[in-house]
Structures are given as C-alpha cells and as structure tokens.
Amino acid sequence: MTCPRAESPFDSSSIPFVLASASPRRRDLLAQIGLKPDLILATDIDETARRDETPRSHVERLARAKAQAAAARCDPDRLILAADTVVALGRRILPKVEDEGTARRCLGLLSGRRHRVLTAIVLQHPQGIASRTVESVVGFARLTERQIDALIATGDWHGKAGGYAVQGHAASHIRFLSGSYSNVVGLPLFETAQLLRSRGVLV
C-alpha cells in the first residue's frame, strides 16, 4: 500500500497522521486518547540487533528505520508516527516471541527478576524528525513451572517482546512496575501525545 497525498496537512486543527505500525495494541492505545491515524502502514525491516548494540540504541534505530520506510511511500508533507519496543535484561535484548519454546525460555529468564521495557517513538515531519525514548522497569514474581505452563497455554505470548503481555494473564505475576504502563503495553501515551501536539495534532 502506498500513502495518498496529504491535503493541506498544516492548515487544520485536525491534522492527519500515518501510523507506521500494524500493531493492534498501538492502534488501541491511540484510540484511548482519542486519536485515529488516517492511514496505517506496516513496515518490513530487518529487526536483527547489531553486534555490541545496546537495547536503547537498537530500539531507537528500529523506530527511525520504520519511520523512514513509511515516509518513502508517502507524500513528504505527511506526519509519520513510528515506534519500536524491546524487553531487555541488562544488555540482553529478548526476542519478539513466535513459538512456545522461545516463550518458555523468556518467561524462565524473567522469573523472579526485574527487566526494562524501552520504547522509542519517532515523529517524522517535513521539517525533520522528533523522537523520545521511554524506559519502564517491570518485576516478575518467581514463576513455577506450572505457572509458566499456564501462561504458555493462554497464547498471550505470541508476537510479544519478551513473551508476555502486561495487559494479559501475566499481570497476575507482575509484582512491580515503575514508569509508564502504556509504554510496557507498546506505546507511551504521554510522550506520544507531546510529540503529536508539537506538530499541531489535537490530543
């Protein structure tokens, strides 16, 4: 899908923007604060971490790459909102989980420990790029094998960074959360609203 030409994007109190993400969670979070992208563009980029790349530099690079990939398919006057989220244990970046074995390994690593969730947000606009990176800390209670089995059975892990969804069944095992809850879901709403307001989008 290509991006249609924007019509007078900066002369209206209701400025359209493109969401460079197919994530239903991000769409739902935007709807929570009354925002609906006028177009959603899924981006296909290589999300492999580079050698010696920290979680912060990794997530910031991917968010920018998503914004640039979407912008390449759009009229240059468009606002492009992109984001990427990672779960990190120290410098280790946990994967976006696609199979039960990986989900089980991730939950075993998170059990009884605190980890970081980082989301980089990028707003690309005709004058350049604005960005924010938000970090939250999440602590899991120690999980028994039976509890891990039960979490695996829910299917909540599929497609999730680190193999869990804070808004899902894993919530009953999260004993600590410091920072933005919406960041852990996948899009920090306060910082996203700030970026969009800076370009005239009413939030």
Side-chain angles (χ1 to χ4, degrees):
M1 175 186 285
T2 57
C3 184
R5 186 173 183 84
E7 297 181 4
S8 303
F10 298 109
D11 63 4
S12 169
S13 61
S14 180
I15 296 174
F17 68 96
V18 175
L19 177 62
S21 172
S23 166
R25 294 176 299 281
R26 292 195 177 116
R27 294 199 301 271
D28 290 346
L29 285 165
L30 287 171
Q32 182 180 323
I33 57 173
L35 291 173
K36 182 180 179 181
D38 67 314
L39 186 68
I40 293 170
L41 287 178
T43 55
D44 184 17
I45 64 169
D46 181 3
E47 299 190 12
T48 305
R50 294 174 178 171
R51 183 180 177 85
D52 297 328
E53 192 171 42
T54 67
R56 179 175 289 267
S57 60
H58 174 72
V59 77
E60 291 174 347
R61 177 175 62 82
L62 292 190
R64 284 178 176 262
K66 289 179 180 181
Q68 290 164 1
R73 297 157 60 187
C74 286
D75 180 85
D77 285 340
R78 285 283 186 159
L79 291 179
I80 309 288
L81 178 67
D84 192 75
T85 301
V86 298
V87 171
L89 275 170
R91 288 178 59 93
R92 181 174 183 172
I93 300 169
L94 298 190
K96 184 180 291 184
V97 174
E98 300 296 341
D99 62 83
E100 290 189 10
T102 303
R104 191 175 296 278
R105 286 193 294 275
C106 286
L107 290 170
L109 287 168
L110 297 174
S111 173
R113 303 174 70 179
R114 292 187 179 187
H115 62 274
R116 294 178 295 144
V117 179
L118 298 96
T119 300
I121 322 156
V122 168
L123 185 65
Q124 186 156 325
H125 52 84
Q127 286 71 45
I129 291 178
S131 64
R132 300 281 189 279
T133 301
V134 180
E135 180 176 319
S136 302
V137 179
V138 180
F140 264 82
R142 188 167 299 280
L143 300 171
T144 66
E145 286 300 317
R146 185 174 180 178
Q147 288 170 332
I148 290 176
D149 288 342
L151 288 172
I152 296 296
T154 69
D156 282 356
W157 49 267
H158 191 266
K160 306 297 193 307
Y164 78 94
V166 69
Q167 72 277 25
H169 291 81
S172 65
H173 302 291
I174 291 173
R175 59 179 177 78
F176 176 86
L177 195 157
S178 176
S180 168
Y181 173 83
S182 59
N183 173 51
V184 183
V185 179
L187 190 69
L189 290 178
F190 176 76
E191 290 79 6
T192 299
Q194 282 187 313
L195 284 179
L196 289 169
R197 288 184 186 118
S198 74
R199 303 308 305 173
V201 178
L202 292 179
V203 183

